[in-house]
Amino acid sequence: MGKVTKAVIPAAGYGMRFLPVTKAIPKEMLPIVDTPTIEYIVRECVDAGITDILIIVSANKNSIINHFDRNFELEYKLKEKHKDKEFDEITELLKKVNIFFVRQKELIGLGHAVLCAKSFAGNDPFALLLGDDLWRCRKPAIKQLIEAYEKVDAPVLGVKVVDPKDVSSYGICKTADDEKLSLVLDLVEKPKVEEAPSRKAISGRYILTPDIFTYLETQGRGAGNEIQLTDAIKRLSVTKPVYSYELTGKRYDIGSVVGFVEATLDYCLSRNDIKEAVQDLINDKAKK
Ligand code: G1P
């Protein structure tokens, strides 16, 4: 069994739930407090021992590429002004991981985006992290899945139980039992509530094996007239075992405005440098 050292982060989408800001700014660059959302995802990978990351971008997403590049002029100025903390903040991450980019030429679905990672993955298993799902966990969400993968030596989908009213926003798994790690029996992308086989929703974290690409290459359009990753995984699961793993931690849907605000508040309140000031603001506003 190959060790999971590669990760893929699709970041090509339009961000239609977050207009008008996403007209010119990639949604992945919107900050939670002072850090772009995609940097949290990259840090999650690094904390899980990932050494190589492929970010799938599209036209209009060059600021993501710039964010993960050196900025020598800024570094020079920070050094000159003895701003060592800020200098470290913008340089230390890039020393820990190799980041590659590829452009998805046509935005026709998550399955198609993942197919752009075929040569990057080669013969290796890889982690897949979706930028709309931010996980705050004691053990990084993707690390939890890597450990599950090491037990079963098969693809693992990170899931979370959601409210019935929300099942139509997710890929939903039917599993063999209610264990944390469980064999997937069926998968449906964005089912109507009455057709959902369970409430176990795929939640933006996966460990996949390279055999997924064979299915993605021949995958027709599905929900939303898009090439859906869930549909390709469902076909894969007919020929070999695929597992779901119930992640432990707090998940934010930062592709939605309310989820984004909740993440912003929680991250503020977990930061020693600002938490008191922010808590005072909240208390103050609650009184009015
Ligand atoms: C994608 C996947 C879906 C998954 C969701 C959250 O949907 O297609 O299966 O449940 O992410 O991780 P999207 O939110 O991009 O429409």
Side-chain angles (χ1 to χ4, degrees):
M1 175 188 14
K3 202 166 174 285
V4 183
T5 60
K6 295 179 180 176
V8 174
I9 305 177
Y14 292 110
M16 284 183 192
R17 288 191 291 166
F18 233 116
L19 284 165
V21 65
T22 45
K23 195 176 161 202
I25 298 172
K27 65 174 172 180
E28 297 79 9
M29 288 302 291
L30 298 181
I32 303 286
V33 195
D34 50 13
T35 302
T37 58
I38 194 162
E39 187 173 319
Y40 290 100
I41 311 270
V42 167
R43 286 185 184 277
E44 179 183 334
C45 290
V46 171
D47 291 345
I50 297 286
T51 55
D52 293 88
I53 299 176
L54 177 71
I55 301 181
I56 298 163
V57 293
S58 54
N60 245 342
K61 301 268 183 165
N62 288 346
S63 58
I64 298 178
I65 302 176
N66 293 340
H67 184 71
F68 293 109
D69 196 1
R70 302 279 302 270
N71 181 336
F72 290 107
E73 199 177 322
L74 178 61
E75 288 175 23
Y76 176 80
K77 288 284 173 200
L78 290 172
K79 275 274 170 211
E80 197 180 54
K81 292 180 186 299
H82 305 291
K83 290 187 175 291
D84 294 336
K85 184 173 155 277
E86 288 80 358
F87 178 88
D88 289 346
E89 256 166 21
I90 67 158
T91 53
E92 48 79 38
L93 182 61
L94 299 181
K95 292 180 195 152
K96 295 180 183 161
V97 63
N98 301 311
I99 303 184
F100 305 87
F101 299 92
V102 66
R103 268 195 180 169
Q104 186 185 4
K105 313 283 184 297
E106 261 182 300
L107 303 189
I108 51 175
L110 178 62
H112 180 261
V114 174
L115 185 53
C116 300
K118 187 180 175 197
S119 358
F120 170 78
N123 294 320
D124 298 323
F126 62 97
L128 176 69
L129 300 93
L130 308 188
D132 277 352
D133 300 86
L134 196 57
W135 277 92
R136 280 187 79 212
C137 316
R138 206 161 287 161
K139 183 183 285 181
I142 204 64
K143 177 84 179 153
Q144 297 179 36
L145 290 194
I146 291 173
E147 289 178 2
Y149 167 80
E150 284 166 355
K151 275 193 198 131
V152 294
D153 193 13
V156 186
L157 318 177
V159 297
K160 180 185 183 310
V161 174
V162 296
D163 280 349
K165 68 173 174 32
D166 294 328
V167 292
S168 60
S169 303
Y170 295 96
I172 301 292
C173 299
K174 179 180 178 188
T175 54
D177 50 48
D178 278 331
E179 295 299 309
K180 223 171 148 46
L181 180 61
S182 182
L183 188 67
V184 170
L185 302 179
D186 195 11
L187 285 168
V188 196
E189 179 67 11
K190 303 198 170 75
K192 291 190 188 129
V193 61
E194 59 277 13
E195 285 159 16
S198 82
R199 295 194 288 125
K200 282 188 179 178
I202 303 174
S203 297
R205 298 291 181 275
Y206 312 69
I207 304 295
L208 295 173
T209 45
D211 39 10
I212 191 62
F213 296 114
T214 315
Y215 295 91
L216 286 173
E217 273 165 342
T218 53
Q219 185 59 53
R221 307 253 180 162
N225 197 29
E226 294 190 338
I227 298 175
Q228 295 291 352
L229 175 64
T230 305
D231 295 343
I233 300 175
K234 178 184 163 119
R235 285 166 60 222
L236 171 69
S237 73
V238 174
T239 60
K240 65 174 268 185
V242 171
Y243 289 83
S244 73
Y245 182 83
E246 211 172 311
L247 289 163
T248 303
K250 167 81 182 156
R251 171 191 175 259
Y252 303 91
D253 173 15
I254 54 167
S256 82
V257 176
V258 174
F260 186 85
V261 172
E262 186 191 7
T264 302
L265 284 173
D266 279 0
Y267 277 75
C268 281
L269 295 173
S270 70
R271 284 245 313 238
N272 286 335
D273 56 338
I274 52 174
K275 71 176 174 199
E276 267 180 46
V278 173
Q279 188 64 62
D280 286 350
L281 275 176
I282 296 170
N283 295 346
D284 206 38
K285 297 205 180 291
K287 279 186 218 145
K288 285 180 186 156

